[in-house]
Amino acid sequence: MKTEKALPMLHSLRSCACGENGAVLYWMDTGELEDEICFSEYYKRLSRERRRKVDSYLFKKDKRLSLGAGILMDKGLSVWGLREREETVSYGKNGKPYLPCHPYIHFNLSHSGSRVMGVFAGEETGCDVEQMQEADLALGERFFTRKEYAFIAGQQGKEGQKEAFFRLWTLKESFLKAVGTGLSLPLDAFEITLSPKGEIAVCQKTDEACRLCPGEFEFREYRMGEYCMAVCFWKKSRLQPQTWDAQKGAQKWG
């Protein structure tokens, strides 16, 4: 059997335990893929479908993000002895990806700025990463619940409001991706609450949300420099929410 050439090392690629059932979170900075040789070597190792996605983007930044998502997909599947290039990815009604040949593997991917993240678990999961910018209070007032908006507006100074806005945004996005509805379920159909101790809870505010999202949910959230990240797990019973340090130097909420 021919041995594959070793790929260039990606120094920013990291992982950590995340939740129950062997869940693992991966992340990396796609700035490393600015090196053309590094980009080419990883590109050649991924599936035809992933290469097609990479090629569909016009700007190099977006090509790197798409390639980075493929790299994390390959990394996550390797735990089960699988390779991204050998697996078929299908999509649900609202675009949530899944592996039809491996229904016990649940995963989700997200990217923003130059950062890409992915989560792999034994239960339904969703994740979101956002590069924090100035909080758009008008957007929050339009799409969030009244209590969520009040939580953001009530923070001290622009930095506090920015942090609160993106914490809620990533948590809500991770919830929507976990349940697989996408934005077909309005952002104000459910409410995320954050306690002073860092505990996170979700309340389904509408009949539609209760029907589409029964059960309990568990969240993890991370802050890495200018990036805010969140993971949601769709569970049958409530577990005590808690927060993990994603890497040395990562800030802990609460």
Side-chain angles (χ1 to χ4, degrees), residues 213-233:
C213 316
E216 303 294 334
F217 298 86
E218 181 183 6
F219 295 89
R220 298 287 190 272
E221 55 175 349
Y222 311 86
R223 170 74 181 274
M224 297 183 188
E226 61 182 328
Y227 290 90
C228 197
M229 303 161 62
V231 180
C232 176
F233 298 102

Side-chain angles (χ1 to χ4, degrees), residues 101-163:
C101 295
H102 306 284
Y104 55 89
I105 302 176
H106 300 275
F107 71 95
N108 203 232
L109 302 164
S110 180
H111 56 72
S112 177
S114 66
R115 189 67 55 88
V116 61
M117 70 178 291
V119 61
F120 294 79
E123 57 198 351
E124 292 287 357
T125 186
C127 68
D128 189 53
V129 57
E130 298 291 339
Q131 185 176 25
M132 294 192 297
Q133 304 172 30
E134 186 174 346
D136 189 337
L137 293 182
L139 186 69
E141 186 174 24
R142 180 181 177 186
F143 291 106
F144 289 1
T145 69
R146 284 183 294 178
K147 286 185 178 179
E148 288 171 340
Y149 173 74
F151 175 77
I152 297 168
Q155 301 302 307
Q156 187 172 14
K158 290 186 176 181
E159 284 300 311
Q161 292 178 349
K162 177 176 73 174
E163 183 176 282

Side-chain angles (χ1 to χ4, degrees), residues 3-251:
T3 303
E4 287 187 319
K5 177 184 175 183
L7 289 164
M9 182 176 291
L10 294 171
H11 299 281
S12 67
L13 201 162
R14 296 286 187 273
S15 66
C16 72
C18 178
E20 305 294 328
N21 295 326
V24 180
L25 176 68
Y26 298 87
W27 68 96
M28 66 170 287
D29 191 320
T30 58
E32 288 197 79
L33 299 174
E34 292 179 9
D35 181 278
E36 293 184 3
I37 294 177
C38 183
F39 184 100
S40 177
E41 290 298 316
Y42 278 96
Y43 175 91
K44 291 186 293 186
R45 295 287 180 91
L46 297 181
S47 65
R48 180 180 300 179
E49 176 62 18
R50 176 53 62 179
R51 296 197 303 268
R52 185 195 65 78
K53 286 184 178 181
V54 172
D55 294 340
S56 70
Y57 290 103
L58 177 63
F59 298 107
K60 290 184 177 180
K61 173 188 174 182
D62 297 320
K63 290 179 181 291
R64 291 193 294 269
L65 287 171
S66 182
L67 180 61
I71 291 170
L72 293 193
M73 184 71 178
D74 192 50
K75 186 71 173 177
L77 290 179
S78 69
V79 174
W80 285 274
L82 305 174
R83 296 301 303 271
E84 184 273 344
R85 68 191 184 203
E86 297 171 354
E87 300 305 320
T88 298
V89 177
S90 296
Y91 297 87
K93 178 182 177 181
N94 295 298
K96 184 176 181 178
Y98 66 95
L99 299 169
C101 295
H102 306 284
Y104 55 89
I105 302 176
H106 300 275
F107 71 95
N108 203 232
L109 302 164
S110 180
H111 56 72
S112 177
S114 66
R115 189 67 55 88
V116 61
M117 70 178 291
V119 61
F120 294 79
E123 57 198 351
E124 292 287 357
T125 186
C127 68
D128 189 53
V129 57
E130 298 291 339
Q131 185 176 25
M132 294 192 297
Q133 304 172 30
E134 186 174 346
D136 189 337
L137 293 182
L139 186 69
E141 186 174 24
R142 180 181 177 186
F143 291 106
F144 289 1
T145 69
R146 284 183 294 178
K147 286 185 178 179
E148 288 171 340
Y149 173 74
F151 175 77
I152 297 168
Q155 301 302 307
Q156 187 172 14
K158 290 186 176 181
E159 284 300 311
Q161 292 178 349
K162 177 176 73 174
E163 183 176 282
F165 179 91
F166 282 98
R167 286 183 71 188
L168 283 174
W169 186 273
T170 54
L171 287 166
K172 289 174 80 71
E173 283 284 344
S174 71
F175 174 87
L176 290 174
K177 295 175 77 176
V179 299
T181 64
L183 291 175
S184 64
L185 184 69
L187 284 170
D188 61 357
F190 62 98
E191 185 170 272
I192 300 287
T193 58
L194 298 166
S195 78
K197 295 182 179 180
E199 297 172 335
I200 306 165
V202 59
C203 173
Q204 289 90 328
K205 304 292 289 185
T206 66
D207 291 341
E208 181 184 21
C210 292
R211 178 177 60 83
L212 293 173
C213 316
E216 303 294 334
F217 298 86
E218 181 183 6
F219 295 89
R220 298 287 190 272
E221 55 175 349
Y222 311 86
R223 170 74 181 274
M224 297 183 188
E226 61 182 328
Y227 290 90
C228 197
M229 303 161 62
V231 180
C232 176
F233 298 102
W234 193 354
K235 310 183 77 67
K236 293 182 180 179
S237 62
R238 180 172 296 279
L239 296 180
Q240 181 65 32
Q242 55 185 321
T243 301
W244 296 70
D245 282 319
Q247 64 178 29
K248 186 178 180 181
Q251 295 180 11

